[in-house]
Amino acid sequence: AIGSMMYATHCTRPDIAFAVSKLSQYIVNPGTEHWKAVGRVLGYLKRTSNLELTYTSSSRILEGYSDASWIDRINDSKSTSGWIFTLAGGAVSWASKKQTCIAHSTMEAELIALAAAGKEAEWTRDLLTDIRLWDVPMPCIPMYCDSEATLSKVYNAVYNGGSRHIGLRHNYVRQLLESGTIKVVYVKTSKNLADPFTKPLTRDLVV
């Protein structure tokens, strides 16, 4: 059941990415509540089978959105990263993943998510360059983030934190900025398209 939903998630249904990411963490030992949740997701897919990704030929701008939720599970203290990239007016790449290391603040969680999204931005940029649809060199990819503290940190050349794994991610994002691969831009949470990839959707946002 999870594999079937993951197929839909990766192909055309970014709206269930967060739910599938959470459910996939219980594959080894699922309980009754997890099976009920699977049924709810499948029911949602059935009721919204008319939804589709749409694209326009007027826009050739690649944009990225990054977000994170800080420690949404007390038992392992891991946060969730989410990102989405849009091109020609529609989503082309997205993900909702549990972070592999523990962040000690919201800023660190956002920085981890931004580094992961930056890696996807670098790969996507290279892909578009290879298929020769864009002029070379390709312009910077705007990466939208709703954390002003994270923006301040990535534009600071020195990371003075004590966590080595966060410092490595800071250096990676700094490298992407200096090479002109991305530029990090502030966006309000209400307009951050990556927000639904880090937390459950409320009913009004689902419909």
Side-chain angles (χ1 to χ4, degrees):
I2 296 295
S4 298
M5 291 192 297
M6 288 181 67
Y7 178 80
T9 300
H10 292 315
C11 293
T12 60
R13 298 301 300 257
D15 50 335
I16 65 170
F18 176 79
V20 174
S21 173
K22 285 298 179 184
L23 287 171
S24 65
Q25 298 173 27
Y26 299 95
I27 291 178
V28 175
N29 185 28
T32 303
E33 292 301 315
H34 305 122
W35 278 110
K36 289 181 179 179
V38 167
R40 291 184 65 185
V41 176
L42 292 175
Y44 169 74
L45 288 174
K46 183 178 181 180
R47 293 191 302 272
T48 58
S49 59
N50 61 321
L51 295 181
E52 58 187 14
L53 296 175
T54 58
Y55 304 92
T56 63
S57 59
S58 59
S59 174
R60 288 173 44 176
I61 299 175
L62 178 66
E63 296 179 318
Y65 296 80
S66 169
D67 197 15
S69 64
W70 183 45
I71 308 182
D72 50 4
R73 291 183 61 192
I74 302 300
N75 56 345
D76 64 3
S77 301
K78 298 288 181 64
S79 305
T80 299
S81 294
W83 68 83
I84 183 170
F85 288 85
T86 61
L87 179 65
V92 294
S93 176
W94 55 84
S96 176
K97 296 182 178 181
K98 183 171 73 170
Q99 295 182 357
T100 57
C101 55
I102 296 176
H104 296 95
S105 65
T106 302
M107 185 278 295
E108 288 191 0
E110 293 276 2
L111 185 56
I112 293 171
L114 184 60
K119 186 181 296 185
E120 183 72 9
E122 187 176 29
W123 184 89
T124 305
R125 187 172 187 263
D126 291 341
L127 174 65
L128 294 177
T129 302
D130 287 342
I131 60 179
R132 299 181 181 180
L133 288 179
W134 274 259
D135 297 331
V136 179
M138 187 176 174
C140 283
I141 300 172
M143 287 294 309
Y144 296 98
C145 174
D146 58 11
S147 170
E148 294 185 271
T150 304
L151 260 72
S152 175
K153 184 64 67 175
V154 297
Y155 280 107
N156 189 331
V158 178
Y159 178 75
N160 55 5
S163 302
R164 182 173 179 270
H165 61 283
I166 302 298
L168 291 173
R169 287 167 170 83
H170 175 266
N171 290 338
Y172 177 66
V173 175
R174 285 288 308 171
Q175 178 181 318
L176 294 178
L177 289 171
E178 292 170 1
S179 65
T181 302
I182 67 171
K183 59 180 178 181
V184 186
V185 183
Y186 175 75
V187 66
K188 292 183 178 180
T189 301
S190 59
K191 295 185 180 298
N192 190 348
L193 300 184
D195 187 57
F197 292 83
T198 63
K199 58 183 67 70
L201 290 173
T202 57
R203 184 177 294 273
D204 58 325
L205 291 178
V206 171
V207 297

